[in-house]
Amino acid sequence: MAGQVQFSGSSATTSTGSSRLVRGLWWLMLLSCVGVSVYSTQYFLSTPRDAHFSRYIIPLRLHIAGGMGALLAGPWQFSEKLRARALNLHRWLGRFYLVEVVLGSIAGLAMATVSEEGMATHLGFGALAILWFFTGLQAYRMARKGDILAHRNWMIRNFALSLAAVMLRSYLPFMLLILHWSFRQTYITVAWLCWVPNLLVAEWLVRRGPPRVKPLTDTITVASISFYRFN
C-alpha cells in the first residue's frame, strides 16, 4: 500500500509538472505571436524603406494582414478553457483564423514569386504558402465531415506553418548579427528553415496521438466544430 501511494504521488507530481510546462509553452507561443504582430504593424503605418517591399506593397500588406490575424487567433484555438467557457467565441475565432490563412497564403504565394535571392527563395516561400493553404483547407474539410481527430491534426500542422512568421524573425537577426552571414545566405536559409522544422515537429505531435481527455472535453470538441457544417 505504501509503495502504491508513493507511485500515485509521483504520477500526480509528474502530471502537474507536465501541465505547467505545456502552459508555459502556450504563453511563450502567445507572446511571440503578439510580439511579431505588433512589430508587423509598421508596414501599415508607413511605406517600407526597402525598395523591393515598396514595389509590392499591396500583396505584402495583404500577406502580413493574413499572418497577423492567424497569429493572434491561432493560439486560442488550442485553449480547452476557451472552448469550455466561450464556445461561440471559439467558433468565430476559428472562422476568422481560416479566412486569415486563405488571405495570407494567397498573398504569400504572390510575394514568393518575386522574393529576393532567386529560385531558392521562390521555392521555399512558395512551398510554405501552398502548404499553409492546403493544411487549412484540409482542416476545414475534416471539420465539415465531423472527423474531430483529423481536424485537430490538420490544425496542428497548419498553425505550425503560421508560426513560420515567428521563426523567420527569430532566425534573421541571429544569422545576420551573431553569425555574420551575408544577406543572401541568410535569406535563402530562412526561406526553408522558418517552416520545415515546424512542420516536422507538428507531424511528430500528430503521430504521437491525441492526449487523453475528459468526456466533457470530447463533447465540447464535437460541438465546437459544428459551425463548419452549414446544413
Side-chain angles (χ1 to χ4, degrees):
M1 288 295 292
Q4 186 175 4
V5 171
Q6 183 179 2
F7 176 77
S8 300
S10 177
S11 299
T13 301
T14 301
S15 177
T16 302
S18 177
S19 178
R20 288 177 179 174
L21 176 61
V22 170
R23 191 181 304 114
L25 290 174
W26 184 86
W27 276 105
L28 176 62
M29 176 178 67
L30 176 64
L31 293 175
S32 299
C33 290
V34 171
V36 169
S37 298
V38 171
Y39 169 82
S40 299
T41 58
Q42 65 177 305
Y43 292 97
F44 298 95
L45 300 176
S46 61
T47 302
R49 296 179 180 179
D50 186 286
H52 178 78
F53 283 157
S54 298
R55 189 178 305 121
Y56 304 104
I57 189 63
I58 293 179
L60 174 66
R61 284 176 172 168
L62 290 175
H63 172 60
I64 292 174
M68 288 172 61
L71 288 178
L72 293 175
W76 300 102
Q77 292 304 101
F78 296 93
S79 172
E80 291 186 8
K81 289 184 178 179
L82 179 65
R83 289 196 298 268
R85 298 176 182 177
L87 183 55
N88 284 334
L89 177 59
H90 173 76
R91 292 172 175 175
W92 282 104
L93 278 177
R95 289 170 173 168
F96 174 76
Y97 175 83
L98 288 178
V99 169
E100 293 297 282
V101 167
V102 170
L103 174 63
S105 59
I106 293 175
L109 183 59
M111 288 299 298
T113 62
V114 295
S115 61
E116 295 179 285
E117 306 308 330
M119 187 59 67
T121 59
H122 296 346
L123 293 176
F125 290 127
L128 168 60
I130 292 170
L131 289 172
W132 196 23
F133 180 90
F134 174 75
T135 53
L137 177 63
Q138 287 296 94
Y140 172 78
R141 290 181 63 248
M142 294 304 105
R144 290 268 296 179
K145 290 181 179 180
D147 191 336
I148 300 169
L149 179 59
H151 169 71
R152 169 189 173 274
N153 290 342
W154 283 108
M155 280 296 292
I156 290 173
R157 296 181 179 109
N158 183 264
F159 191 62
L161 295 174
S162 297
L163 288 174
V166 175
M167 302 312 298
L168 182 144
R169 285 159 184 82
S170 300
Y171 293 137
L172 276 176
F174 176 76
M175 293 177 180
L176 290 172
L177 302 178
I178 305 300
L179 299 182
H180 301 292
W181 286 9
S182 68
F183 178 79
R184 175 176 175 77
Q185 183 182 10
T186 297
Y187 208 57
I188 290 175
T189 301
V190 298
W192 299 90
L193 188 62
C194 70
W195 64 271
V196 172
N198 293 16
L199 196 56
L200 292 175
V201 171
E203 197 62 32
W204 174 74
L205 291 173
V206 166
R207 293 180 183 276
R208 282 183 63 198
R212 294 182 179 180
V213 293
K214 297 178 180 179
L216 175 61
T217 306
D218 284 336
T219 302
I220 292 170
T221 305
V222 171
S224 70
I225 67 168
S226 63
F227 75 89
Y228 291 103
R229 296 181 166 219
F230 301 111
N231 52 344

